[in-house]
Structure formats: structure tokens, C-alpha cells
Amino acid sequence: MPDPKVEYRPLTPEEEARRRKRSVAIALALGAMVLLFFVLTIAKLGPQVLNRPL
Amino acid sequence: MTSATNTLSPAVASVGGDVPDYFALLKPRVMVLVIFTALVGMSVSHGHVSPAIGAISLFAIAVGAGASGCLNMWWDADIDAVMTRTSSRPIPAGKITSSEALGFGLFLSVASVMVLGLAANWLSAALLAFTIVFYAVIYSMWLKRATAQNIVIGGAAGALPPVIGQAVVTGQVGIESLVLFAIIFIWTPPHFWALALIKAGEYARAGIPMMPNVAGPDSTRRQIVWYSLFLAPLGLVPVALGFGGLLYAVVGTVGGIGMVALSVRVLKNKTGEAEKKAAMGLFGFSILYLFALFSALLAEQSLGLFRAVVA
């Protein structure tokens, strides 16, 4: 809910575009972080992780 | 939240900067230098680390350095605004608010230390945390505005990446990285003071007690020569300790002589265009000198160019 005490104004198209780009960058950064932790986990475990009795 | 409120913003608030503005907060050129010196610290270490762990560790070190740069810009926004060199940075330019920069810097600080700790070891993570705190708190918040020795002591933060690099590979701090630390530490004053001689007016306007403003240009020039005289032989210690080879010895000798010669030129040229030319000459050469020293070490260690000078 918008705060009734605060004066609001609509975003300009340029500001909206900037916000969209920031959102995309945050999404990409989160994806990169997931990938980083995946690679880190595999590298830490080593190749022997696949060599186990079923 | 309704779609209507989604496109509204408090009238007086910033709606946030562009993605490149946030990247600029991290001082990307400093990050590149940090990656490079940390990599050299890793390469001179006796140990092994997998390429994936090494790359992730370097990335974490770079992000940690960027985070400390971001916190520095948050704290120094007032003085950045009055200096031409820094007035276009995102905060004084009004592209990003101080609180956004603070949040961004703190998040990246914690994240980089955690990632380095998980990827490599907690000694290197602790060293990275120390580097961030030293740069953002000890240097930026305290020393920079308090003493003419600001960049001398603060230089420790810029000198630590090779030590962190060695800690990543070996899990400990060895003599090799401590020598590299000492070289960067002693290199910092002549490098920065050469620039400060030219920018003394700006630093005075910003209220920063740089050496030329406090002790005077003549004293600064003499100190630059003393530091260079100390730096030239110090730059050759890796040869004496056996981890710098023939290529490094040549680069270190020629570069060391160059640093001393250009420092003496700064001492002799005290007025007009000649003063500016001498100071900027030393400033530019000092960057080349450090880059050449570390490149020689990296080339010797990673390209098999090492030829021992000391048995």
C-alpha cells in the first residue's frame, strides 16, 4: 500500500527502462550465484562423488 | 501491490541508477589490479589448487576489493564531489544514493568473504575481511582525513591481495607473498605522492591532508626519493630468495633504476611545466614498474621462463 503521507509521482519511461534493466541484472546475478555454488560444490566433492555403490 | 503503485515512486526519492553505475561503484580498474596481484601471489606459492577453486577464489577476492571500493565511495562522497578526478563518480553525480551504495557494499563484502571461506579456506577469507575493513574503516573513515601518512599506512590494504592469493593455495602465509606485500607497500607512497604533487590544490580544497599539503612539496619530493631508493633493492629480494629468476632480475633492475632516476627528476624540477611533467612521468612509470615486476614473476612461474639466478 502506498503511504498516504508521501507524495507519489509516476515513473518516466526512462526510469521504468532503468528499473527493468536492474531487475534483469539482479536475476542474472542470482543465476550466476547458483551456478557458482554448483561448480564450487562439484569441485569440492571431486570426481569420486560419482564412484559410489548404488 | 497493485500495478498502479508498481509504477509510482516517492516524488523526492531516487529511482536507482543504471547497471553500469553500480559496476562503477566497485572501482573496476582496481579490481583488475587486485585479481592480477592475487594471481601472482598464487603463482609463487608452493601448492596446488584446482582451476575451478582458484577461479572462484580470485572472483571472490575481486568482489571483496570492489566492495571495499564501494564502501569507500559511500563514505567519501562529500570529498569526491569537490575533486575533478572523482566528481563524476555515481554518488556525487546523483546517479545512486548513499544508502544504496552502503547496502550494495555491505552485501558484497559479506558475500565475498563467505564465498572465499567456503571455496578456499577461512584464513584467506579472514585476510579478505581484514583487507575490506582496513580499507573502508581504517583508511577511508579514519586515516584519509586525519594524517599525511594516510596512503602510507592505507597502502597495506592494496598490498594484501598477493598474501590472500598465497593463503588460498597453501592455507598459510609464506615469505614469498610477504615480500610481494612489502614491494607494493613501499611502492605506494612514491606512486600516490607523485600524483598528489600535481593535485595538491584539489586535495587542499577537499580538506585531505596529503603529504604535499602538510609537509610541503619539497619534503614530499625528498620522501619520494627515499622511498624509491628503498624500493629498488627491495624489488630484487625475490631474486635473492630464489622465486624470482633471470627475467625478473632484469626487469627489477631496470625498473628500479628507472624509479630512482624519475624520482630524482621530480626532486630537481620544482616549478612550472617541468614539475608537472616530472611528477606525471613518475606516476605513469610507477604503474608500469609494478605491472612489469608482477608480470615477470607470473611469466616465469606459469610459462616456464624461470632461470635461477641464485643457486
Side-chain angles (χ1 to χ4, degrees):
Chain A
M1 282 287 287
D3 186 342
K5 292 178 207 144
V6 178
E7 191 185 334
Y8 286 89
R9 66 169 173 81
L11 292 178
T12 65
E14 192 266 335
E15 285 170 342
E16 277 197 50
R18 221 158 56 192
R19 187 171 66 175
R20 200 174 311 112
K21 278 185 203 160
R22 274 204 311 276
S23 302
V24 171
I26 291 169
L28 289 175
L30 282 173
M33 221 160 109
V34 170
L35 188 67
L36 182 141
F37 275 98
F38 174 74
V39 172
L40 181 59
T41 305
I42 298 298
K44 280 279 182 190
L45 290 173
Q48 289 304 311
V49 70
L50 298 175
N51 186 14
R52 69 194 197 287
L54 291 170
Chain B
M1 187 179 279
T2 65
S3 61
T5 59
N6 210 26
T7 55
L8 292 175
S9 165
V12 293
S14 156
V15 290
D18 258 331
V19 175
D21 297 327
Y22 291 91
F23 189 60
L25 280 178
L26 306 181
K27 298 191 178 180
R29 278 181 296 181
V30 175
M31 283 170 82
V32 171
L33 198 67
V34 164
I35 291 173
F36 180 58
T37 55
L39 181 64
V40 175
M42 292 167 91
S43 76
V44 298
S45 304
H46 302 287
H48 175 74
V49 67
S50 82
I53 299 291
I56 290 171
S57 300
L58 275 177
F59 176 71
I61 295 169
V63 172
S68 65
C70 181
L71 293 173
N72 166 271
M73 283 201 207
W74 160 70
W75 184 257
D76 278 345
D78 57 334
I79 53 177
D80 281 351
V82 295
M83 295 181 66
T84 52
R85 189 172 67 89
T86 52
S87 60
S88 61
R89 285 177 173 176
I91 302 174
K95 293 171 180 168
I96 289 178
T97 63
S98 282
S99 52
E100 277 180 304
L102 174 63
F104 191 47
L106 286 176
F107 168 74
L108 291 182
S109 298
V110 174
S112 61
V113 170
M114 296 305 290
V115 167
L116 188 60
L118 292 169
N121 51 63
W122 292 101
L123 171 66
S124 54
L127 284 167
L128 180 63
F130 176 77
T131 306
I132 295 169
V133 171
F134 195 88
Y135 187 70
V137 179
I138 308 289
Y139 171 70
S140 301
M141 296 186 189
W142 177 33
L143 295 170
K144 187 170 178 179
R145 302 176 196 228
T147 168
Q149 296 294 330
N150 47 16
I151 56 102
V152 179
I153 308 166
L160 274 166
V163 183
I164 305 174
Q166 184 163 43
V168 164
V169 175
T170 65
Q172 54 193 358
V173 174
I175 187 70
E176 296 89 352
S177 66
L178 289 177
V179 169
L180 298 182
F181 170 90
I183 290 171
I184 302 176
F185 187 74
I186 298 300
W187 166 89
T188 306
H191 167 73
F192 267 110
W193 286 341
L195 185 70
L197 279 171
I198 302 300
K199 303 277 183 187
E202 284 201 17
Y203 281 116
R205 209 164 53 242
I208 306 295
M210 291 300 281
M211 192 58 79
N213 304 83
V214 176
D218 284 344
S219 169
T220 306
R221 289 189 186 95
R222 283 195 299 275
Q223 292 187 65
I224 284 176
V225 173
W226 281 115
Y227 270 100
S228 294
L229 283 170
F230 186 35
L231 177 64
L234 181 66
L236 294 173
V237 170
V239 182
L241 291 178
F243 66 94
L246 185 60
L247 173 67
Y248 180 88
V250 172
V251 171
T253 305
V254 174
I257 292 169
M259 280 297 291
V260 173
L262 290 175
S263 299
V264 171
R265 191 169 75 141
V266 168
L267 184 68
K268 285 182 175 170
N269 294 283
K270 299 181 179 179
T271 53
E273 200 54 36
E275 179 201 18
K276 194 176 174 185
K277 204 173 161 188
M280 288 315 289
L282 176 63
F283 179 74
F285 184 81
S286 63
I287 297 170
L288 181 69
Y289 169 69
L290 195 70
F291 184 72
L293 276 188
F294 278 68
S295 296
L297 274 182
L298 190 61
E300 285 183 339
Q301 299 295 333
S302 57
L303 301 177
L305 299 177
F306 184 84
R307 300 287 178 272
V309 178
V310 177

